[in-house]
Amino acid sequence: MRQALMHDLVIRSRRVALPDGIRPAAIAVQDGRIAALTDYETVLPATTITDLADLVVLPGLVDSHVHVNEPGRTEWEGFATATKAAAAGGVTTIVDMPLNSLPPTVSVADLATKRAAAEGQCHVDVAFWGGAIPGNLDSLRPLHEAGVVGFKCFLSPSGVDEFPPLTLDEIDKVMRELASFDGLLIVHAEDPVRLGEPVDGSYRAFLNSRPGAAESSAVQQIIALAEATGTRTHILHVSAADCLEPLAAAQARGVRITAETCPHYLTLSAAEAYTTAFKCCPPIRDAANQDALWQGLADGVLSCVVSDHSPCPPAMKEGDFASAWGGISSLQIGLPAVWTAARARGFGLTDVVRWMAAAPADLAGLTRKGRIAVGCDADLIAFDPSASFTVEPISLAHKNPITPYGGRELLGVVHSTWLGGRVAGDGHPPAGRHWVTDNR
């Protein structure tokens, strides 16, 4: 008689978020992957068996928009602190942006430097974006072959001199190069012609200096180029509802274009922006605009919700809205922030999983991430969707405790995070892998 396989781990719950819905199940893990999915009651021999009862098991989230900033600006954030924060927030894979680190990831040598900086520090898995800047067209294919998941560019100034924006003619050339190997371009879309300088240090002046028209104008220009070249294209951090109609029309025509938004655009409003912790680019807009973004998610025009975690030291957030650094830190609290607002609007956990796990994984081509299915990595979180907590900035694992969510009561608590079937996060050895080196 054949002996039953002894699995490394079995996790049971009466509520498991599977691709076809939430139901009771048992998840068997072997060698870091999901080996079997069975009914909750099925006996599965395992070295470790964990019964979570009514806690919900979600797939580990995938955050495809994270600025880690190491090497070069590790005082802003680093791989150790960023990935601890990710694990604490139920994020089991991050994709690191190519800028704010020194050097930026715009050549194969720069990618090697980034990978070396991350080595041995990561509590979750990490993949990397490359950058498209003036003068590095010949580096794009080599970077793709070295394992970056796509390329980021700006139409307007990025905020750091070493990562300048591209002109539309340069973006056209980049798109044609990427189309030759089916690469992905991700775009910070604000039209520089429509951007201005704040007339004073107030939030209203800052908001007026970066109007929704700057986003929608840039999005329409990018759509035209994507349609002409056939390049896979993704619009980053959509904050303006004016972008939704042209995106929906382009998607209906078959243009290969997708778009994301961020927790802060879905949960915060301009009326609340009383400290520079709220400053980001593009900016947080009004409540009616926020309602439209939620409708964009419901309609599928926006497919991903990701953090755009863009931290900095406290001194850079001093001053007023004209001078402070524009970036929001929310890597650790994105899930409860989004779940709190989503539940109030009638959405379910399956929607949140689609926006924050499956769709970002698909965007970045991380084929074993973002879903609970046989063969996928055993990246899992135990989540209590009914528990609440108050955000205390000093308790966050981010290097710098700056957040616009301080003092807010949020719904949804992450109890445990497993990376490849092993408990991950603070107090556990960093066991994160690089998608570039370990998965291609």
Side-chain angles (χ1 to χ4, degrees), residues 4-10 12 28 30 42-49:
L5 174 66
M6 179 65 70
H7 297 288
D8 298 327
L9 171 68
V10 168
R12 303 179 187 282
Q30 190 70 33
T42 301
V43 175
L44 293 168
T47 303
T48 302
I49 298 175

Side-chain angles (χ1 to χ4, degrees), residues 86-138:
V91 177
T92 52
T93 303
I94 65 170
V95 190
D96 176 59
M97 281 291 166
L99 72 156
N100 296 354
S101 56
L102 293 169
T105 312
V106 295
S107 71
V108 172
D110 297 331
L111 176 62
T113 299
K114 178 70 69 80
R115 286 164 52 191
E119 189 65 37
Q121 295 200 75
C122 298
H123 292 266
V124 302
D125 287 353
V126 180
F128 302 95
W129 296 108
I133 63 171
N136 84 325
L137 190 67
D138 291 341

Side-chain angles (χ1 to χ4, degrees), residues 207-226:
L207 182 60
N208 290 341
S209 75
R210 303 187 90 98
E215 278 190 81
S216 60
S217 172
V219 164
Q220 290 174 68
Q221 293 172 56
I222 293 300
I223 287 170
L225 291 174

Side-chain angles (χ1 to χ4, degrees), residues 50-348:
T50 299
D51 193 327
L52 296 172
D54 289 323
L55 288 179
V56 182
V57 179
L58 304 179
L61 305 188
V62 176
D63 193 333
S64 57
H65 197 146
V66 178
H67 294 270
V68 175
N69 305 335
E70 186 175 7
R73 292 190 174 103
T74 312
E75 71 275 14
W76 295 21
E77 187 71 275
F79 282 102
T81 49
T83 57
K84 280 182 184 178
V91 177
T92 52
T93 303
I94 65 170
V95 190
D96 176 59
M97 281 291 166
L99 72 156
N100 296 354
S101 56
L102 293 169
T105 312
V106 295
S107 71
V108 172
D110 297 331
L111 176 62
T113 299
K114 178 70 69 80
R115 286 164 52 191
E119 189 65 37
Q121 295 200 75
C122 298
H123 292 266
V124 302
D125 287 353
V126 180
F128 302 95
W129 296 108
I133 63 171
N136 84 325
L137 190 67
D138 291 341
S139 295
L140 303 183
R141 183 182 287 269
L143 273 166
H144 171 77
E145 292 171 349
V148 301
V149 299
F151 299 88
K152 180 176 186 177
C153 74
F154 282 74
L155 274 76
S156 53
S158 71
V160 290
D161 292 341
E162 67 274 4
F163 203 98
L166 297 175
T167 65
L168 289 172
D169 285 344
E170 289 169 329
I171 291 175
D172 180 74
K173 292 182 174 65
V174 165
M175 282 190 169
R176 293 182 188 280
E177 174 66 9
L178 297 188
S180 71
F181 53 84
D182 200 30
L184 170 66
L185 185 66
I186 63 173
V187 184
H188 181 123
E190 288 183 287
D191 185 346
V193 173
R194 294 174 180 259
L195 298 178
E197 292 296 326
V199 297
D200 57 43
S202 68
Y203 187 77
R204 179 55 55 186
F206 168 67
L207 182 60
N208 290 341
S209 75
R210 303 187 90 98
E215 278 190 81
S216 60
S217 172
V219 164
Q220 290 174 68
Q221 293 172 56
I222 293 300
I223 287 170
L225 291 174
E227 193 160 18
T229 61
T231 308
R232 289 193 296 135
T233 307
H234 180 76
I235 303 298
L236 298 166
H237 46 49
V238 172
S239 82
D242 293 347
C243 299
L244 298 175
E245 186 175 341
L247 282 167
Q251 291 165 356
R253 294 196 305 273
V255 181
R256 301 173 76 194
I257 192 160
T258 54
E260 71 188 35
T261 191
C262 303
H264 40 277
Y265 302 130
L266 297 170
T267 63
L268 306 175
S269 71
E272 302 169 280
Y274 53 90
T275 75
T276 56
F278 287 79
K279 183 180 177 181
C280 57
C281 299
I284 295 165
R285 305 188 188 278
D286 64 28
N289 182 88
Q290 184 183 100
D291 291 341
L293 294 180
W294 279 103
Q295 189 61 49
L297 283 169
D299 294 340
V301 179
L302 303 174
S303 55
C304 304
V305 178
V306 291
S307 69
D308 190 9
H309 180 69
S310 186
C312 68
M316 293 181 67
K317 278 291 191 183
E318 293 176 357
D320 57 27
F321 284 102
S323 59
W325 173 259
I328 286 179
S329 298
S330 64
L331 180 55
Q332 185 170 334
I333 50 179
L335 173 57
V338 171
W339 170 236
T340 301
R343 193 173 91 155
R345 290 173 178 267
F347 295 101

